Amino acid sequence: MKKRILAYGRLNEDQLAQLAEEFEVQTFNDLASADDPDFRTALREAHGLIGASLAIPPALLDEAPRLEAIATISVGYDNYPVDDLTQRGILLCNTPDVLTETTADTGFLLIMAAARRAIELAEWVKRGDWQASVGPEHFGSDVHGKTLGMIGFGRIGAAIARRGALGFGMRVLYSNASPKPELEKELGAERRELEALLAESDFVCVTVPLTAETEHLIGECEFALMKPSAIFVNISRGKVVHEAALINALELGRIRAAGLDVFEQEPLSPESPLPTMANVVALPHIGSATHETRTAMAQRAVDNLILALKGEPPISLVNEAARSTS
């Protein structure tokens, strides 16, 4: 008898067919919550889950006695109770590597757009307000030759820094749990404590994962350390930044501008002032959102799940310790 999979992510027909060759597949299109009654009923017989952006609370695992593996179509896994999964021997697989360059493109897009005021001035043209040559009141900031401070220097952080150092001649600083001698050699990057990085950088870009240690890592004290001319970019997770403190820093001119792809609440609340602030570039969490990359991410998740349910090592496994308890 085939093992059963619940698919609630964006898989194409070929990917669903690949899964159906090995398993019984039940799809849930546009699943908004794990509280969906049909999903919870199906969960009782499920051996595997595949999808993204669905929060799985620990209590829900009690309703999934047969669950062996979850394949998330994402790099981040803060929606999943990793410790609980590991204790139960449930493998959690993710999709690093395949989205690194695309997400780095988005990060550098935010740097450029915020620095050169691209969205603000494009809207100015659309409104028909361009009646004469631009003056100093419309000028932006140079990117080339400036100092880029990376908070987090993993795959995506390094890819953004590579664009800055090799493409724009930027000086790169990084704040990271461990030294990165290879990147220091390649990019001339210099390691700094967080406070020093904030004080020295013209652009501050956050790429750390969301954990208990990084939640609200950047708040009022950190914005106060930044240059008034600094531009802040976040493509990690919204909760890494204290959003009220960011809004306050922008409104008071403590920093010049921000480029944001992630927010504490997504989609953004209609009450949020961020989308209407002239010195903010706000995107709807599109870091990896290209046809090519999302297809590759989904394929990595499919491959991970097939391997995991066959008892073979997945390509990308978050909780290696679960293999010894499964």
Side-chain angles (χ1 to χ4, degrees):
M1 186 165 140
K2 288 185 175 182
K3 291 183 177 180
R4 190 174 189 189
I5 289 174
L6 307 186
Y8 51 88
R10 296 183 180 91
L11 303 178
N12 62 34
E13 292 183 4
D14 290 340
Q15 290 163 344
L16 286 170
Q18 185 181 357
L19 289 171
E21 289 178 4
E22 306 280 351
F23 313 108
E24 179 184 343
V25 181
Q26 184 174 356
T27 58
F28 290 85
N29 296 322
D30 302 317
L31 184 65
S33 167
D35 290 329
D36 180 274
D38 292 334
F39 179 77
R40 293 184 79 129
T41 298
L43 193 61
R44 297 170 192 158
E45 304 298 324
H47 298 87
L49 305 178
I50 184 168
S53 303
L54 184 70
I56 304 291
L60 193 66
L61 300 177
D62 293 332
E63 301 180 35
R66 299 186 179 184
L67 192 60
E68 299 176 20
I70 301 174
T72 179
I73 308 174
S74 64
V75 172
Y77 45 85
D78 44 280
N79 278 339
Y80 302 92
V82 179
D83 290 342
D84 295 271
L85 293 171
T86 302
Q87 290 170 9
R88 294 168 184 260
I90 300 170
L91 305 184
L92 177 61
C93 313
N94 66 342
T95 62
D97 302 318
V98 292
L99 52 66
T100 297
E101 297 301 328
T102 300
T103 306
D105 284 349
T106 304
F108 215 83
L109 164 69
L110 287 169
I111 289 172
M112 292 293 295
R116 297 305 303 271
R117 301 170 62 181
I119 306 303
E120 175 191 357
L121 294 178
E123 291 298 323
W124 185 64
V125 174
K126 285 182 181 180
R127 290 193 305 268
D129 293 339
W130 185 24
Q131 302 297 324
S133 298
V134 298
E137 68 273 21
H138 304 115
F139 291 173
S141 302
D142 280 338
V143 174
H144 66 272
K146 294 295 184 70
T147 297
L148 172 62
M150 299 300 310
I151 302 176
F153 213 35
R155 296 179 182 89
I156 293 171
I160 292 172
R162 196 169 283 115
R163 284 158 173 73
L166 305 182
F168 288 78
M170 299 181 83
R171 174 189 178 215
V172 175
L173 307 179
Y174 73 98
S175 172
N176 205 70
S178 58
K180 301 284 185 176
E182 293 181 2
L183 289 171
E184 290 178 7
K185 182 178 179 180
E186 177 190 358
L187 306 177
E190 304 168 42
R191 189 168 180 243
R192 291 286 190 276
E193 294 300 322
L194 178 59
E195 293 79 6
L197 179 146
L198 293 170
E200 291 184 54
S201 298
D202 300 303
F203 296 86
V204 175
C205 185
V206 182
T207 63
V208 296
L210 177 61
T211 65
E213 291 73 28
T214 62
E215 185 169 354
H216 285 176
L217 175 68
I218 307 299
E220 184 177 353
C221 293
E222 287 69 32
F223 287 118
L225 292 171
M226 294 171 62
K227 299 177 181 179
S229 59
I231 292 174
F232 178 77
V233 171
N234 186 15
I235 59 165
S236 57
R237 286 291 186 268
K239 290 183 180 179
V240 171
V241 178
H242 193 294
E243 206 159 276
L246 169 61
I247 292 168
N248 193 48
L250 289 163
E251 289 178 336
L252 295 178
R254 290 177 182 162
I255 62 174
R256 179 166 184 172
L260 309 169
D261 190 40
V262 291
F263 305 88
E264 284 191 317
Q265 177 184 330
E266 295 182 4
L268 265 174
S269 165
E271 286 75 40
S272 174
L274 288 169
T276 59
M277 296 176 75
N279 57 345
V280 172
V281 177
L283 298 178
H285 204 150
I286 64 165
S288 62
T290 66
H291 292 293
E292 300 91 339
T293 295
R294 287 294 174 87
T295 298
M297 290 169 66
Q299 187 60 52
R300 171 65 63 86
V302 167
D303 295 341
N304 277 334
L305 192 58
I306 290 174
L307 290 169
L309 293 181
K310 285 185 169 184
E312 300 176 27
I315 302 166
S316 312
L317 181 60
V318 172
N319 56 342
E320 180 67 34
R323 296 187 66 201
S324 62
T325 56
S326 60

